[in-house]
Amino acid sequence: MALDGCGLFCKYILFIFNLIFAVVGMVFLGLGLWLRFSANTRGIFEIDALNSSAFVMGVTVLIALGAVMLIVVAFGDYGACNEKRCALQVFSVLLVILAAAEVAVGVLAYSRSDEVGAQIVEFYSSMYALYLSNGDPAIGVTLTFTHKMLHCCGVTGIPVLELAKQTCPSPDGILEHLVMPNCPGIILDVFNRKAPLVMGIFIGTGALLSIALICSAILSKSLRISTSAPQYIILSPSTAALVNPPPPQPEFVSTSYPHLDQDPVVFTPLTVANIPVA
């Protein structure tokens, strides 16, 4: 179907959005499944006393969030690439639900920043202890990403004494070769003193979801208009004769038969051309 400029632009925006969303969703789902079924961490989920721990809850959230994001991407990509309005409508509904849940979590994290910060610190400490005990590569990659993002170094902050020193970022100055911020303190500081920054992250994510929702609505409207618009067929001289055939010429049948065993003679009038007279 032919789309106008705005509809085509929204189609490409949705494609880029879904591509980013798919990468993040696969990372969340892959990490969650690794932590859930890995031989080094599987035993934690088999202990009833630890089912309410921050580690188990965090892994469950990763798996659920990654699965939901991939489902949203499936409908979004199918609707945008194949120009299917039904898939785009389902994609829009899922985006609304996801945006509402994201805003609710952001408000909860802002209003209860102390409790949320403590839960995140507990989850980080569990990951740190598991890495020291078994050296799981997935946990090592997660710790490295967390340390570089927050620019902190383990639970001590002292590179010389830190047991997970290989996961720490490069020091920025001379003093950081001796002492760096420890990660539990940085996490608590982010949720306690920089709660507006955390809320801003949630608001920014909600804004991206809203942009995708608007683009989905515009693309769906453009598809509806292009579908309901009248279709025109360009006729060539050969197809025009097929569409509008000439009227049949009348036939005259003679009623006089010289011989009874002969077929009747049919006379067809001739078309006389317009010949100019000199």
Side-chain angles (χ1 to χ4, degrees):
M1 300 178 183
L3 296 174
D4 56 2
C6 188
L8 192 61
F9 176 76
C10 288
K11 179 178 179 179
Y12 290 123
I13 289 294
L14 285 179
F15 177 78
I16 297 174
F17 171 82
N18 287 316
L19 181 62
I20 298 174
F21 224 53
V23 173
V24 177
M26 285 188 292
V27 170
F28 285 171
L29 183 61
L31 179 60
L33 292 176
W34 180 283
L35 296 177
R36 175 62 181 84
F37 297 104
S38 174
N40 297 324
T41 58
R42 187 187 308 166
I44 298 176
F45 297 87
E46 298 175 356
I47 302 175
D48 295 336
L50 298 178
N51 286 338
S52 60
S53 64
F55 180 78
V56 173
M57 294 177 61
V59 172
T60 304
V61 169
L62 284 176
I63 295 175
L65 184 59
V68 170
M69 292 176 70
L70 291 180
I71 292 174
V72 173
V73 167
F75 281 102
D77 272 341
Y78 178 75
C81 296
N82 297 285
E83 299 180 0
K84 301 294 184 180
R85 290 185 59 211
C86 182
L88 287 175
Q89 291 171 357
V90 176
F91 174 71
S92 300
V93 172
L94 292 177
L95 276 185
V96 171
I97 297 174
L98 195 61
E102 191 266 343
V103 171
V105 171
V107 173
L108 181 64
Y110 181 79
S111 59
R112 299 183 179 181
S113 58
D114 296 337
E115 298 178 11
V116 175
Q119 291 291 328
I120 299 297
V121 169
E122 183 182 349
F123 177 73
Y124 170 81
S125 300
S126 301
M127 298 271 289
Y128 183 85
L130 286 172
Y131 179 72
L132 293 183
S133 63
N134 52 49
D136 191 286
I139 299 178
V141 172
T142 305
L143 288 178
T144 302
F145 175 77
T146 304
H147 292 168
K148 289 184 177 181
M149 183 180 63
L150 299 177
H151 194 73
C152 57
C153 184
V155 296
T156 63
I158 303 175
V160 179
L161 302 176
E162 182 56 46
L163 298 177
K165 181 180 179 180
Q166 62 273 17
T167 63
C168 295
S170 300
D172 285 342
I174 298 177
L175 293 179
E176 286 194 351
H177 285 276
L178 302 176
V179 178
M180 294 183 68
N182 63 80
C183 293
I186 292 294
I187 294 173
L188 288 176
D189 182 68
V190 168
F191 280 91
N192 293 337
R193 300 181 183 181
K194 300 180 181 179
L197 176 61
V198 177
M199 189 63 185
I201 294 175
F202 282 99
I203 292 176
T205 306
L208 292 178
L209 295 176
S210 300
I211 292 174
L213 181 61
I214 294 173
C215 287
S216 177
I218 294 175
L219 180 58
S220 180
K221 182 179 179 181
S222 300
L223 292 175
R224 179 176 58 83
I225 294 175
S226 62
T227 303
S228 60
Q231 303 295 327
Y232 298 97
I233 301 176
I234 300 176
L235 299 178
S236 62
S238 59
T239 57
L242 296 176
V243 176
N244 298 315
Q249 299 293 337
E251 297 181 351
F252 301 95
V253 180
S254 174
T255 57
S256 61
Y257 302 97
H259 302 282
L260 295 178
D261 56 348
Q262 296 181 355
D263 294 333
V265 180
V266 179
F267 299 94
T268 301
L270 300 176
T271 304
V272 181
N274 295 325
I275 301 176
V277 180

